[in-house]
Amino acid sequence: MQDLLPRQKEIYRYIEDVVRVVLESYGYTEIGVPVLESTQLFSRLVGEATDIVEKEMYTFEDRNGDSLTMRPEGTAGVVRMGQENGLLFNQIQRFWYAGPMFRHERPQKGRYRQFEQVGAECFGMAGPDIDAELLFMCQRIWETLGISDEIHLELNSMGTTESRAAYRSELVNYLEEHRDGLDKDSMRRLETNPLRILDSKVPKTQELLASAPTLTDFLDAESKMHFDQLRRLLDQNQLFYHINPSIVRGLDYYNKTVFEWVTDSLGAQGTVCGGGRYDGLVEQVGGKSMPGVGFAMGLDRLAMMLDDKFESTADADIYIASLGEPARAYALLLAEDIRGNLAHGKVVVHCAEGKLKSQMKKADASGANIALIIGEEEISKREVTVKDLQTGEQQSLNAEAVIDHLSKMLEE
Ligand code: HAM
């Protein structure tokens, strides 16, 4: 679990602000769901045989003996929330959320045990148009963040539960015949979750998979039509994608469309956003059948991509230095006055003792362009010395004239 230092946190906030503006411009509304849910919710909705449920959840018994889990992802909680609050039946909804998720994975660059996601979940829309809208929205976010050149879209269709079952048995037959070539993990998955073998990074297994039957050949007519229509919508909007039949996602709830946005610039953990359709999920929490589709993006990974491009806006604009007790008290009052009267601008007061020279060093380090200096002489004359830290020019101004002068300097 990583600590977020000031610059990192600023980047996270910047990304979240960009995402918020884009999502709201598509009519998405923000919701909040708890960090803790009943363990059963995740094991049922995410799937007993997934890596997440099998070995990555932070699960504990609370004081009542109830088994709780720190959310490893957002979709299950959003579906529960929507169902419990009557927000789904016969309604069309577009939600978004942001917050920390928890998975006990092996940590490495871009993979943490606490990580931040921003997600979008839509309900009540069965057609491919909403799938396309979600992808356009992602593309707009990458463009606004200035990283669209480094991210591409991988797309697949997982069909219906029935078509997947037919494919699953063909795949198992094929892999059983080539059992000797499988790695240990894939061998285990052959019993529990064979589709996940498609995701294997082991070269020998990948070789075997190259001649395995593909899910695409088993798609039912409706899924095929949905996928073709989606592709047409993406083509019309010139959103480029790569069809990748091995995108099966690590969660069990998907059907039809699945996708991942991937970058080559982060090494092994290159998936910055993943999602897809989950039409059967609302029924699983006791609701009426209700189509759903969504995605979640990993803020930690996006922040890493922005790190060398991001320009901090955390710098101060005005730094107030003071010498002597009366001047220190006045500095605080003046700062309040400035904040109350200027439309924008960051004002930092030197709240400590210190020689003028060391205070001016702090002023430089704060990034401020303007320093205000108040000493005993200034106090007695009711004046403030205003120093332009870029040019070094300084002048003494009457206390009443300072705010007007500052607002002009900040506008320049
Ligand atoms: P996911 O693919 O498990 O999907 O996670 C989505 C994104 O979260 C990943 O693409 C990645 O950027 C980020 N992420 C996942 N695990 C970690 C980690 N350990 N460290 C850092 N970042 C990570 C879901 O969670 C689904 N709920 C997405 C969804 C929403 N599908 C439909 N609606």
Side-chain angles (χ1 to χ4, degrees):
M1 292 178 184
Q2 45 165 2
D3 297 318
L4 297 182
L5 305 185
R7 178 180 159 80
Q8 247 175 316
K9 193 69 198 172
E10 203 192 339
I11 300 178
Y12 280 52
R13 198 170 71 191
Y14 164 71
I15 300 172
E16 218 183 289
D17 287 348
V18 165
V19 175
R20 169 180 294 116
V21 170
V22 173
L23 293 190
E24 288 181 353
S25 79
Y26 283 74
Y28 285 67
T29 49
E30 187 174 7
I31 49 163
V33 287
V35 170
L36 291 177
E37 296 273 359
S38 78
T39 302
Q40 208 203 8
L41 179 79
F42 298 114
S43 47
R44 276 205 351 244
L45 269 54
V46 174
E48 293 282 3
T50 57
D51 282 352
I52 294 180
V53 172
E54 267 186 356
K55 50 188 186 196
E56 293 170 2
M57 297 205 300
Y58 284 91
T59 296
F60 61 95
E61 272 193 8
D62 74 358
R63 287 166 189 275
N64 303 331
D66 294 327
S67 180
L68 300 182
T69 290
M70 294 170 78
R71 61 181 184 196
E73 62 101 50
T75 312
V78 173
V79 169
R80 179 206 51 72
M81 183 280 296
Q83 172 60 18
E84 267 178 28
N85 292 280
L87 299 178
L88 302 184
F89 180 61
N90 251 348
Q91 295 182 61
I92 282 181
Q93 297 287 11
R94 288 176 168 89
F95 296 132
W96 76 275
Y97 55 89
M101 308 290 159
F102 305 85
R103 295 183 195 173
H104 192 275
E105 294 189 83
R106 195 165 45 81
Q108 55 173 261
K109 184 182 160 205
R111 187 160 76 189
Y112 309 102
R113 290 179 171 176
Q114 174 175 337
F115 56 98
E116 296 282 325
Q117 276 188 351
V118 175
E121 313 289 357
C122 305
F123 298 92
M125 294 166 274
D129 38 359
I130 185 67
D131 305 11
E133 179 185 279
L134 283 164
L135 294 169
F136 296 160
M137 205 160 70
C138 289
Q139 177 68 8
R140 189 173 293 280
I141 290 169
W142 315 143
E143 278 164 12
T144 316
L145 292 173
I147 51 176
S148 55
D149 289 351
E150 297 167 62
I151 300 183
H152 67 272
L153 173 61
E154 304 265 328
L155 194 63
N156 191 21
S157 174
M158 297 194 60
T160 55
T161 317
E162 295 76 32
S163 56
R164 226 163 30 248
Y167 170 65
R168 186 186 147 119
S169 70
E170 276 300 306
L171 181 69
V172 170
N173 285 345
Y174 171 84
L175 293 173
E176 288 282 6
E177 278 170 29
H178 301 85
R179 219 184 158 87
D180 294 346
L182 284 179
D183 60 282
K184 222 172 111 201
D185 215 27
S186 299
M187 201 91 94
R188 190 179 57 82
R189 282 181 168 152
L190 198 53
E191 317 296 329
T192 56
N193 200 351
L195 259 55
R196 290 289 291 160
I197 299 176
L198 300 178
D199 235 10
S200 169
K201 305 280 179 289
V202 180
K204 222 171 145 207
T205 305
Q206 280 184 338
E207 249 172 61
L208 258 186
L209 289 170
S211 338
T214 63
L215 181 53
T216 323
D217 297 331
F218 287 75
L219 284 190
D220 54 289
E222 194 202 318
S223 300
K224 233 185 224 154
M225 195 167 77
H226 187 104
F227 198 44
D228 287 345
Q229 285 172 348
L230 171 62
R231 290 180 58 179
R232 213 166 305 133
L233 289 168
L234 300 182
D235 292 340
Q236 278 165 5
N237 203 45
Q238 292 185 355
L239 202 164
F240 301 107
Y241 51 84
H242 170 231
I243 305 265
N244 183 348
S246 67
I247 299 279
V248 288
R249 313 277 300 126
L251 308 98
D252 273 358
Y253 46 62
Y254 294 107
N255 68 304
K256 293 185 180 161
T257 313
V258 284
F259 57 85
E260 289 182 354
W261 291 90
V262 183
T263 179
D264 294 328
S265 61
L266 291 181
Q269 304 305 318
T271 309
V272 292
C273 175
R277 190 159 268 288
Y278 47 83
D279 294 335
L281 214 49
V282 176
E283 255 175 309
Q284 281 194 46
V285 292
K288 290 252 160 50
S289 166
M290 171 70 51
V293 57
F295 64 70
M297 47 185 72
L299 279 195
D300 310 80
R301 295 181 188 174
L302 291 171
M304 282 164 69
M305 291 183 74
L306 284 186
D307 195 30
D308 52 358
K309 303 184 181 62
F310 184 76
E311 279 184 32
S312 170
T313 55
D315 283 356
D317 294 302
I318 301 168
Y319 195 92
I320 308 187
S322 58
L323 290 164
E325 261 326 296
R328 268 176 83 177
Y330 179 60
L332 279 178
L333 292 183
L334 179 65
E336 288 302 320
D337 217 13
I338 297 171
R339 293 186 192 108
N341 283 288
L342 287 188
H344 53 83
K346 292 190 189 116
V347 185
V348 175
V349 179
H350 185 88
C351 285
E353 306 268 346
K355 296 216 167 72
L356 187 60
K357 199 169 162 198
S358 93
Q359 292 195 39
M360 294 315 283
K361 267 196 187 151
K362 298 241 163 36
D364 281 333
S366 76
N369 287 332
I370 306 166
L372 304 184
I373 303 161
I374 311 163
E376 274 170 29
E377 202 186 320
E378 279 88 354
I379 289 277
S380 66
K381 290 195 195 156
R382 292 189 48 74
E383 277 183 353
V384 174
T385 298
V386 181
K387 181 169 182 181
D388 184 323
L389 291 173
Q390 282 175 322
T391 62
E393 278 170 31
Q394 64 178 56
Q395 56 181 312
S396 290
L397 284 181
N398 178 303
E400 279 74 45
V402 166
I403 292 176
D404 256 4
H405 184 74
L406 290 176
S407 64
K408 279 189 201 114
M409 278 181 89
L410 286 177
E411 265 167 31
E412 276 167 11

